[in-house]
């Protein structure tokens, strides 16, 4: 029988246990082991099954709760946990200390289409969502006042199982938000708070808003499954990354425009400070910038261009994909359909909207381009990805060389307290202060011997092995095997064998099957008598990606072979719950993307925090953090065009590394059984990568280099009824009119005595500039001096400002920086105090 409808009945807690409610609904328990212990002590078996304190409270028999209400020892522990949470939520932390220096925003709204806080709130598909949640958790630890916003999906992302022949099968279990650690946000009268956005044809799309508590951070999740909506509109938030372009644009309109409206109303209702700075985690929520423009237009009597200056000042855009095909785009007609009748954003002309998303293809609207045009500050997510993004988007800033394109980089980080095994943090010192999560410098860690650390690594490997056996058996049962024939699953994998993990989504560039390139070599590595290797593989393919499913099937065909199935396994349904075991238990974390298509990658960081060593192509974060002794870099065949040839070369390098370096080092044991060489790499990884891969480091960078300057800029733009924004917009107009007529002529290069040029000699560069009516203070004129290659392109130039000399002349003195072939040029750039970068307007005049 199936239920026609499901609903959740809330537990009524005995008076003396009411504190448990607050502990169960604040998701800090996901990174606070003592709180988890408390709930485990209510019913250990139940907690292991549901892994969710709230479900423990709603499922445990009321008699057990009555019993606990009389248990003084339990009550004391619950009281201590509640007091600890209260202290965590209210005490001043790093941000409050930092705020003393001024300029920090009162609040920042962080928009993302997915948030992976915990498997108990399955509202994510993979890396992007987990990163977004780690960002909120670290912000909470640091005391940074963020508000998270995104959709709540009724079916989240899919759960993956396998058919007998190894084909991915998708399931979409429907969630009931009232059974999740979420509260419906309500109006003072008790009715649900709702926001609405206009839809074509005079319709409206309504959403109610659920709030998750991520430590100190409210996370607002919009849910369209409400009665006020037409049937089709109720399904707007049905699932993550499902459906066609029309479905997606509705989701994104809701997330961006509805999301900002939800934040505004939530802050009004609760007294939470209103955000001044807005962070778009990827382009999907970019419509929020348009809603922000509408707000400014309505409030300050500015025109659209002036409002845009105000929007840009407070907006931060983070791009996550170096793959052009990965960028979110819509047919222009579709955008026209939703924005064209002027009801969605009154006062904003649809042509202005379309211009913000313009790209090379006039039929397409590009969300990343819109994000870059709406945000004064933008970044990629690793140093390499920053460089790739500057190249990829360079056309938006014509006339500038890639290094000057105003997109910088903040390397992603992961939330240590979520991802480090508690055994590991107990051994290495577990407090926020010791790890620096509270924003201080990490303090000295306790001395730990190799033997102790090695024993712990074996323990974690052993736990992974048990989990592998359990999951492999469950998967075979699900594929249709009978329990009788599955005895072998109890002995697969070995807690003493070198364990390699490879788990990720399955787009082509991640090359799930690279390891299968030469099956015989792989088999030989797995079955080596002296130095065997065992490999855990996991990863989901997007439901519409047949190619990805074929790759999974290839893996399954290989691992199903009785000759190797004790040494290699594919585990279906990679999610946070499985990920934890993998990151903690694997000795080696393997990553072999096609460089440079991995923007950052974060799973390897989680492995590193647990003493796992990375074996990876130098892509994403690894390109920047690999130091020669914290793991291994798989050589890349970068220049090779033929992808098959490239795969072949890189796979061969991978086998060589595994067989000749990784395995021998792991099995090189001292008399005490400990591999000293291996352990020195583990220690080096923990000591040097440990602090750098943390999300607390990442969030501090965002606060210092993005949120603070954005808050200062937005104040400068919007205070005094938008005087700054008006001045910047008027300046842009003036520049637009005059720019085509600005000319540089009579450039000259003077040396005092015409002797030979030597390094360090002072020279003078002069030019005359026709400013076409602009004031000299409107521009900066620069001399650039650098190496020249065969094409006369200036390389790594030194840039020196030139001063006005009267009569349209400008001059600068500079010293010859190096020997060899040098060249110079002169250029004119816009200059205004509210520009964040001279390249911002995409305008430059070259001599
Ligand atoms: C960290 C994480 C990811 C992201 O890993 P990548 O290295 O970016 O592929 C994906 N899924 C889960 C469940 C994670 O925890």
């Amino acid at each position: 029988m199936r239920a026609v409808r499901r609903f959740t009945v809330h537990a009524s807690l005995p008076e003396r246990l009411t504190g448990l409610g607050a502990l169960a609904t604040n998701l800090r328990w996901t990174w606070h082991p003592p709180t988890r212990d408390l709930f485990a002590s209510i019913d250990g078996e139940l907690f292991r099954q549901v892994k969710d304190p709230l479900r423990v409270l709603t499922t445990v028999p009321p008699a057990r709760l009555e019993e606990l209400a009389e248990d003084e020892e339990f009550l004391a522990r619950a009281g201590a946990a509640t007091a600890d949470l209260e202290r965590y939520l209210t005490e001043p932390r790093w941000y409050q200390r930092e705020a003393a220096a001024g300029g920090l925003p009162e609040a920042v709204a962080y928009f993302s289409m997915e948030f992976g806080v915990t498997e108990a709130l399955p509202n994510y598909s993979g890396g992007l969502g987990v990163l977004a949640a780690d960002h909120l958790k670290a912000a909470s630890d640091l005391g940074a006042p963020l508000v998270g916003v995104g959709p709540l999906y009724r079916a989240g992302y899919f759960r993956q199982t396998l058919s007998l022949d190894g084909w991915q099968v998708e399931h979409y279990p429907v969630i009931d938000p009232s059974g999740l650690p979420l509260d419906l946000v309500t109006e003072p009268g008790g009715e649900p708070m709702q926001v609405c956005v206009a839809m074509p044809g005079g319709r409206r799309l309504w959403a109610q808003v659920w709030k998750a508590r991520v430590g100190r951070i409210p996370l607002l999740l919009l849910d369209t499954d409400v009665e006020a909506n037409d049937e089709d509109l109720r399904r707007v938030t049905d699932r993550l990354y499902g459906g066609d372009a029309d479905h997606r644009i509705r989701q994104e309109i809701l997330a961006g425009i509805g999301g900002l409206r939800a934040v505004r109303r939530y802050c009004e209702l609760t007294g939470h400070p209103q955000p001044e700075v807005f962070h778009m985690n990827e382009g999907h929520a970019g419509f929020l910038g348009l809603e922000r423009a509408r707000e400014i237009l309505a409030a300050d009597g500015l025109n659209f261009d002036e409002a845009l200056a105000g929007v840009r000042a407070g907006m931060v855009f983070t791009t996550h994909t170096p793959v052009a095909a990965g960028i979110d785009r819509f047919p222009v007609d579709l955008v026209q359909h939703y924005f064209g009748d002027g009801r969605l954003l009154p006062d904003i002309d649809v042509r202005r909207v379309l211009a913000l998303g313009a790209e090379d293809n006039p039929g397409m609207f590009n969300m990343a381009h819109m994000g870059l045009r709406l945000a004064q500050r933008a970044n990629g997510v690793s140093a390499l990805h920053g460089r790739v993004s500057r190249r990829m988007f360079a056309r938006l800033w014509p006339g500038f060389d890639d290094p000057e394109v105003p997109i910088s980089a903040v390397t992603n980080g992961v939330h240590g307290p979520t991802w480090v095994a508690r055994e590991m943090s107990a051994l290495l010192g577990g407090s926020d202060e010791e790890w620096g999560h509270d924003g201080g410098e990490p303090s000295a860690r306790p001395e730990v011997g190799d033997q102790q650390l090695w024993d712990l690594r074996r323990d974690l490997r052993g736990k992974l092995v048990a989990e592998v056996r359990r999951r492999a058996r469950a998967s075979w049962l699900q594929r249709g095997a009978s329990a009788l024939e599955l005895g072998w699953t109890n002995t697969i994998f070995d807690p003493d064998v070198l364990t390699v993990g490879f788990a990720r989504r399955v787009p082509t560039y991640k090359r799930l099957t690279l390891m299968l390139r030469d099956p015989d070599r792989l088999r030989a590595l797995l079955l080596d008598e002296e130095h065997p290797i065992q490999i855990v593989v996991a990863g989901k393919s997007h439901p519409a990606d047949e190619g990805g499913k074929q790759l999974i099937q290839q893996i399954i065909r290989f691992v199903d072979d009785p000759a190797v199935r004790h040494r290699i396994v594919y585990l279906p349904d990679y999610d946070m719950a499985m990920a934890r075991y993998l990151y903690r238990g694997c000795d080696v974390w393997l990553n072999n993307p096609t460089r440079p298509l991995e923007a950052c990658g974060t799973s390897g960081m989680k492995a590193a925090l647990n003493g796992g060593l990375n074996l990876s192509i130098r892509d994403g974060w690894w390109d920047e953090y690999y130091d020669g002794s914290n793991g291994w870099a798989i050589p890349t065949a970068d220049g090779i065009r033929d992808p098959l040839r490239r795969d072949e070369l890189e796979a061969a390098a991978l086998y060589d590394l595994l067989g000749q370096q990784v395995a021998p080092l792991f099995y090189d044991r001292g008399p005490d059984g400990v591999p000293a060489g291996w352990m020195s790499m583990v220690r080096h990884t923990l000591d040097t990568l440990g602090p750098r891969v943390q999300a607390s480091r990442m969030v501090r960078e965002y606060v210092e280099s993005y949120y603070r300057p954005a808050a200062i800029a937005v104040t400068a733009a919007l205070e005094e009824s938008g005087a700054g924004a008006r001045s910047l917009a008027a300046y842009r107009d003036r520049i637009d009119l005059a720019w085509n007529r600005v000319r540089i002529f009579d450039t000259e290069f003077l040396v005092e005595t015409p002797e030979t040029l030597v390094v360090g000699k002072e020279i003078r560069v002069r030019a005359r500039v026709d400013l076409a009516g602009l004031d000299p203070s409107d521009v900066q004129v620069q001399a650039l001096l650098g190496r020249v290659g065969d094409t006369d392109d200036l390389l790594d130039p030194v840039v020196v400002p030139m001063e006005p000399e009267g009569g349209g002349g400008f001059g600068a003195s500079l010293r010859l920086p190096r020997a060899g072939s040098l060249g110079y040029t002169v250029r004119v750039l816009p200059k205004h105090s509210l520009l964040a970068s001279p390249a911002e307007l995409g305008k430059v005049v070259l001599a």
Side-chain angles (χ1 to χ4, degrees), residues 116 124-128 130-131 134 412 414 419 503-505 509-510 574-580 583 589 591 598 600-606 621:
Y124 68 98
S125 75
L128 186 73
V130 175
L131 174 82
D134 279 9
N412 284 339
V414 301
W419 296 108
R504 43 196 35 93
R505 285 176 304 112
Y509 79 85
K510 300 235 187 199
Y574 177 46
D575 70 350
M576 289 179 76
M578 180 199 298
R580 238 189 314 277
Y583 304 150
W589 195 252
N591 192 16
E598 174 106 301
C600 178
T602 49
S603 52
M605 298 177 163
K606 300 169 196 168
W621 74 286

Short mmCIF file of all heavy atoms in Angstrom, two decimals, residues 116 124-128 130-131 134 412 414 419 503-505 509-510 574-580 583 589 591 598 600-606 621, ligand 1:
data_model
loop_
_atom_site.label_atom_id
_atom_site.label_comp_id
_atom_site.label_asym_id
_atom_site.label_seq_id
_atom_site.Cartn_x
_atom_site.Cartn_y
_atom_site.Cartn_z
N GLY A 116 24.90 21.86 0.35
CA GLY A 116 25.08 20.52 0.90
C GLY A 116 25.56 20.61 2.33
O GLY A 116 26.75 20.45 2.60
N TYR A 124 21.47 19.18 -2.48
CA TYR A 124 22.70 19.44 -3.23
C TYR A 124 22.93 18.30 -4.21
O TYR A 124 22.38 17.22 -4.04
CB TYR A 124 23.89 19.54 -2.28
CG TYR A 124 24.24 18.20 -1.63
CD1 TYR A 124 25.27 17.40 -2.14
CD2 TYR A 124 23.50 17.72 -0.55
CE1 TYR A 124 25.55 16.17 -1.57
CE2 TYR A 124 23.78 16.48 0.01
CZ TYR A 124 24.81 15.72 -0.50
OH TYR A 124 25.08 14.49 0.04
N SER A 125 23.78 18.58 -5.23
CA SER A 125 24.14 17.50 -6.14
C SER A 125 25.59 17.10 -5.97
O SER A 125 25.97 15.98 -6.20
CB SER A 125 23.89 17.90 -7.60
OG SER A 125 24.90 18.80 -8.03
N GLY A 126 26.44 18.05 -5.59
CA GLY A 126 27.86 17.70 -5.49
C GLY A 126 28.69 18.87 -5.02
O GLY A 126 28.26 19.65 -4.16
N GLY A 127 29.86 19.01 -5.62
CA GLY A 127 30.88 19.93 -5.14
C GLY A 127 30.40 21.35 -4.89
O GLY A 127 30.72 21.94 -3.85
N LEU A 128 29.62 21.91 -5.82
CA LEU A 128 29.22 23.31 -5.68
C LEU A 128 28.38 23.51 -4.41
O LEU A 128 28.56 24.48 -3.68
CB LEU A 128 28.42 23.74 -6.92
CG LEU A 128 28.06 25.23 -6.96
CD1 LEU A 128 29.29 26.06 -7.26
CD2 LEU A 128 26.97 25.51 -7.98
N VAL A 130 28.26 21.52 -1.71
CA VAL A 130 29.03 21.25 -0.49
C VAL A 130 29.92 22.46 -0.19
O VAL A 130 30.05 22.89 0.95
CB VAL A 130 29.85 19.95 -0.64
CG1 VAL A 130 30.73 19.74 0.57
CG2 VAL A 130 28.91 18.75 -0.83
N LEU A 131 30.49 23.03 -1.24
CA LEU A 131 31.30 24.22 -1.05
C LEU A 131 30.48 25.36 -0.45
O LEU A 131 30.92 26.05 0.47
CB LEU A 131 31.89 24.69 -2.40
CG LEU A 131 32.62 26.02 -2.27
CD1 LEU A 131 34.02 25.79 -1.76
CD2 LEU A 131 32.61 26.78 -3.56
N ASP A 134 29.95 24.67 3.13
CA ASP A 134 31.19 24.86 3.88
C ASP A 134 31.48 26.35 4.07
O ASP A 134 32.00 26.77 5.11
CB ASP A 134 32.37 24.17 3.17
CG ASP A 134 32.43 22.66 3.46
OD1 ASP A 134 31.46 22.13 4.05
OD2 ASP A 134 33.43 22.00 3.09
N ASN A 412 39.32 27.73 -3.22
CA ASN A 412 38.33 27.14 -2.33
C ASN A 412 38.97 26.51 -1.11
O ASN A 412 40.16 26.18 -1.11
CB ASN A 412 37.54 26.06 -3.08
CG ASN A 412 36.51 26.66 -4.03
OD1 ASN A 412 36.13 27.81 -3.88
ND2 ASN A 412 36.08 25.87 -5.00
N VAL A 414 37.76 23.85 2.51
CA VAL A 414 36.74 22.93 3.03
C VAL A 414 36.62 23.11 4.54
O VAL A 414 37.58 23.50 5.21
CB VAL A 414 37.06 21.47 2.68
CG1 VAL A 414 37.14 21.30 1.16
CG2 VAL A 414 38.36 20.99 3.32
N TRP A 419 34.82 17.81 8.03
CA TRP A 419 35.45 16.76 7.23
C TRP A 419 36.55 15.98 7.92
O TRP A 419 36.95 14.92 7.44
CB TRP A 419 35.95 17.33 5.88
CG TRP A 419 34.81 17.82 5.05
CD1 TRP A 419 34.46 19.11 4.78
CD2 TRP A 419 33.81 17.01 4.41
NE1 TRP A 419 33.33 19.16 4.01
CE2 TRP A 419 32.91 17.88 3.77
CE3 TRP A 419 33.59 15.62 4.31
CZ2 TRP A 419 31.81 17.43 3.04
CZ3 TRP A 419 32.50 15.17 3.58
CH2 TRP A 419 31.61 16.06 2.96
N ALA A 503 36.47 9.40 -6.38
CA ALA A 503 35.03 9.61 -6.33
C ALA A 503 34.73 11.01 -6.81
O ALA A 503 35.30 11.98 -6.30
CB ALA A 503 34.52 9.44 -4.91
N ARG A 504 33.87 11.12 -7.80
CA ARG A 504 33.49 12.43 -8.30
C ARG A 504 32.37 12.27 -9.31
O ARG A 504 32.04 11.17 -9.70
CB ARG A 504 34.68 13.15 -8.93
CG ARG A 504 35.53 12.24 -9.81
CD ARG A 504 36.90 12.84 -10.11
NE ARG A 504 37.44 13.61 -9.03
CZ ARG A 504 38.26 13.15 -8.08
NH1 ARG A 504 38.60 11.88 -8.08
NH2 ARG A 504 38.72 13.93 -7.15
N ARG A 505 31.76 13.39 -9.66
CA ARG A 505 30.76 13.34 -10.73
C ARG A 505 31.46 12.83 -11.99
O ARG A 505 32.68 12.78 -12.06
CB ARG A 505 30.20 14.74 -10.98
CG ARG A 505 29.23 15.22 -9.92
CD ARG A 505 28.80 16.65 -10.22
NE ARG A 505 29.95 17.54 -10.32
CZ ARG A 505 30.36 18.14 -11.44
NH1 ARG A 505 29.69 17.96 -12.57
NH2 ARG A 505 31.42 18.91 -11.46
N TYR A 509 35.47 15.42 -18.61
CA TYR A 509 36.80 15.93 -18.29
C TYR A 509 37.40 15.31 -17.03
O TYR A 509 38.59 15.34 -16.81
CB TYR A 509 36.80 17.46 -18.20
CG TYR A 509 36.25 18.03 -16.92
CD1 TYR A 509 37.08 18.18 -15.81
CD2 TYR A 509 34.92 18.43 -16.80
CE1 TYR A 509 36.59 18.70 -14.63
CE2 TYR A 509 34.43 18.95 -15.63
CZ TYR A 509 35.26 19.07 -14.54
OH TYR A 509 34.78 19.58 -13.36
N LYS A 510 36.55 14.73 -16.18
CA LYS A 510 37.10 14.12 -14.96
C LYS A 510 37.72 12.75 -15.23
O LYS A 510 38.40 12.19 -14.39
CB LYS A 510 36.00 14.00 -13.90
CG LYS A 510 35.40 15.35 -13.49
CD LYS A 510 35.47 15.57 -11.99
CE LYS A 510 34.72 16.81 -11.55
NZ LYS A 510 35.13 17.29 -10.23
N TYR A 574 27.16 7.99 -4.50
CA TYR A 574 28.14 8.86 -3.85
C TYR A 574 27.41 10.08 -3.27
O TYR A 574 26.74 10.81 -3.98
CB TYR A 574 29.14 9.31 -4.92
CG TYR A 574 30.21 10.30 -4.49
CD1 TYR A 574 30.93 10.11 -3.32
CD2 TYR A 574 30.52 11.39 -5.29
CE1 TYR A 574 31.93 11.01 -2.97
CE2 TYR A 574 31.52 12.28 -4.95
CZ TYR A 574 32.22 12.09 -3.78
OH TYR A 574 33.21 12.97 -3.43
N ASP A 575 27.51 10.29 -1.99
CA ASP A 575 26.95 11.48 -1.36
C ASP A 575 27.79 11.82 -0.13
O ASP A 575 28.84 11.21 0.09
CB ASP A 575 25.47 11.26 -0.99
CG ASP A 575 25.30 10.28 0.16
OD1 ASP A 575 26.30 9.62 0.57
OD2 ASP A 575 24.16 10.14 0.66
N MET A 576 27.36 12.77 0.66
CA MET A 576 28.19 13.20 1.79
C MET A 576 28.43 12.07 2.78
O MET A 576 29.50 11.98 3.38
CB MET A 576 27.54 14.38 2.51
CG MET A 576 27.58 15.66 1.70
SD MET A 576 26.79 17.04 2.56
CE MET A 576 28.07 17.45 3.77
N ALA A 577 27.44 11.21 2.94
CA ALA A 577 27.58 10.14 3.93
C ALA A 577 28.68 9.17 3.51
O ALA A 577 29.51 8.75 4.32
CB ALA A 577 26.26 9.40 4.09
N MET A 578 28.71 8.84 2.22
CA MET A 578 29.77 7.94 1.75
C MET A 578 31.11 8.68 1.72
O MET A 578 32.16 8.12 2.08
CB MET A 578 29.46 7.44 0.34
CG MET A 578 30.53 6.49 -0.18
SD MET A 578 30.50 6.32 -1.96
CE MET A 578 28.90 5.62 -2.23
N ALA A 579 31.03 9.94 1.28
CA ALA A 579 32.25 10.72 1.09
C ALA A 579 33.09 10.75 2.37
O ALA A 579 34.31 10.61 2.33
CB ALA A 579 31.88 12.15 0.68
N ARG A 580 32.43 10.88 3.48
CA ARG A 580 33.14 10.95 4.75
C ARG A 580 34.07 9.76 4.95
O ARG A 580 35.21 9.90 5.31
CB ARG A 580 32.12 10.98 5.87
CG ARG A 580 32.23 12.18 6.75
CD ARG A 580 31.37 12.09 7.98
NE ARG A 580 30.02 11.64 7.74
CZ ARG A 580 29.04 12.41 7.34
NH1 ARG A 580 29.24 13.68 7.10
NH2 ARG A 580 27.83 11.91 7.14
N TYR A 583 37.06 9.96 2.34
CA TYR A 583 38.10 10.97 2.57
C TYR A 583 38.96 10.60 3.78
O TYR A 583 40.11 10.95 3.87
CB TYR A 583 37.48 12.36 2.79
CG TYR A 583 36.58 12.84 1.68
CD1 TYR A 583 35.51 13.69 1.94
CD2 TYR A 583 36.78 12.44 0.36
CE1 TYR A 583 34.67 14.13 0.93
CE2 TYR A 583 35.94 12.87 -0.65
CZ TYR A 583 34.88 13.72 -0.36
OH TYR A 583 34.05 14.14 -1.35
N TRP A 589 44.40 9.86 -2.56
CA TRP A 589 43.23 10.41 -3.24
C TRP A 589 43.63 10.73 -4.67
O TRP A 589 44.52 11.54 -4.91
CB TRP A 589 42.70 11.65 -2.51
CG TRP A 589 41.33 12.00 -2.98
CD1 TRP A 589 40.97 13.06 -3.75
CD2 TRP A 589 40.14 11.25 -2.70
NE1 TRP A 589 39.62 13.00 -3.99
CE2 TRP A 589 39.09 11.91 -3.36
CE3 TRP A 589 39.86 10.09 -1.99
CZ2 TRP A 589 37.77 11.45 -3.32
CZ3 TRP A 589 38.56 9.62 -1.94
CH2 TRP A 589 37.53 10.30 -2.60
N ASN A 591 43.08 11.98 -8.55
CA ASN A 591 42.29 12.91 -9.36
C ASN A 591 43.00 13.07 -10.70
O ASN A 591 44.16 13.46 -10.74
CB ASN A 591 42.18 14.26 -8.65
CG ASN A 591 41.14 15.16 -9.31
OD1 ASN A 591 40.31 14.69 -10.10
ND2 ASN A 591 41.18 16.45 -9.01
N GLU A 598 39.45 21.41 -14.41
CA GLU A 598 38.93 21.34 -13.05
C GLU A 598 39.15 22.70 -12.41
O GLU A 598 40.27 23.14 -12.24
CB GLU A 598 39.73 20.28 -12.27
CG GLU A 598 39.38 20.21 -10.81
CD GLU A 598 38.55 18.98 -10.48
OE1 GLU A 598 37.46 18.84 -11.06
OE2 GLU A 598 39.00 18.18 -9.66
N CYS A 600 38.64 23.90 -9.29
CA CYS A 600 39.42 23.79 -8.06
C CYS A 600 39.51 22.34 -7.64
O CYS A 600 40.56 21.74 -7.63
CB CYS A 600 38.82 24.64 -6.94
SG CYS A 600 39.75 24.47 -5.40
N GLY A 601 38.34 21.73 -7.35
CA GLY A 601 38.36 20.39 -6.76
C GLY A 601 38.52 20.57 -5.27
O GLY A 601 39.35 21.37 -4.82
N THR A 602 37.71 19.90 -4.48
CA THR A 602 37.85 20.06 -3.04
C THR A 602 37.96 18.73 -2.32
O THR A 602 38.35 18.70 -1.15
CB THR A 602 36.64 20.82 -2.44
OG1 THR A 602 35.45 20.22 -2.94
CG2 THR A 602 36.68 22.29 -2.81
N SER A 603 37.61 17.63 -3.00
CA SER A 603 37.63 16.36 -2.28
C SER A 603 39.05 16.03 -1.81
O SER A 603 39.25 15.51 -0.72
CB SER A 603 37.06 15.24 -3.14
OG SER A 603 37.69 15.20 -4.40
N GLY A 604 40.05 16.36 -2.64
CA GLY A 604 41.43 16.08 -2.26
C GLY A 604 41.85 16.86 -1.01
O GLY A 604 42.70 16.42 -0.24
N MET A 605 41.24 18.03 -0.82
CA MET A 605 41.54 18.82 0.39
C MET A 605 41.00 18.10 1.62
O MET A 605 41.64 18.10 2.68
CB MET A 605 40.87 20.18 0.29
CG MET A 605 41.35 21.05 -0.85
SD MET A 605 40.41 22.60 -0.86
CE MET A 605 41.46 23.62 -1.89
N LYS A 606 39.81 17.49 1.46
CA LYS A 606 39.21 16.79 2.60
C LYS A 606 40.06 15.56 2.94
O LYS A 606 40.23 15.23 4.12
CB LYS A 606 37.78 16.40 2.26
CG LYS A 606 36.88 17.59 1.93
CD LYS A 606 35.55 17.13 1.34
CE LYS A 606 34.81 18.27 0.66
NZ LYS A 606 33.68 17.79 -0.16
N TRP A 621 43.25 23.33 -7.47
CA TRP A 621 44.03 23.69 -6.27
C TRP A 621 45.39 23.01 -6.25
O TRP A 621 46.35 23.54 -5.71
CB TRP A 621 43.25 23.31 -5.01
CG TRP A 621 43.21 21.83 -4.73
CD1 TRP A 621 42.48 20.90 -5.40
CD2 TRP A 621 43.95 21.13 -3.71
NE1 TRP A 621 42.70 19.65 -4.86
CE2 TRP A 621 43.59 19.76 -3.82
CE3 TRP A 621 44.85 21.51 -2.73
CZ2 TRP A 621 44.14 18.78 -2.98
CZ3 TRP A 621 45.39 20.53 -1.89
CH2 TRP A 621 45.03 19.18 -2.03
C1 LIG B 1 33.66 17.60 -1.54
C2 LIG B 1 32.60 16.89 -2.27
C3 LIG B 1 32.53 16.95 -3.67
C4 LIG B 1 33.49 17.78 -4.50
O1 LIG B 1 34.63 17.07 -4.83
P1 LIG B 1 35.50 17.40 -6.13
O2 LIG B 1 36.88 17.15 -5.73
O3 LIG B 1 35.27 18.84 -6.45
O4 LIG B 1 35.01 16.49 -7.18
C5 LIG B 1 31.53 16.25 -4.31
N1 LIG B 1 30.65 15.50 -3.61
C6 LIG B 1 30.69 15.43 -2.28
C7 LIG B 1 29.69 14.61 -1.58
C8 LIG B 1 31.66 16.13 -1.57
O5 LIG B 1 31.68 16.06 -0.24
#
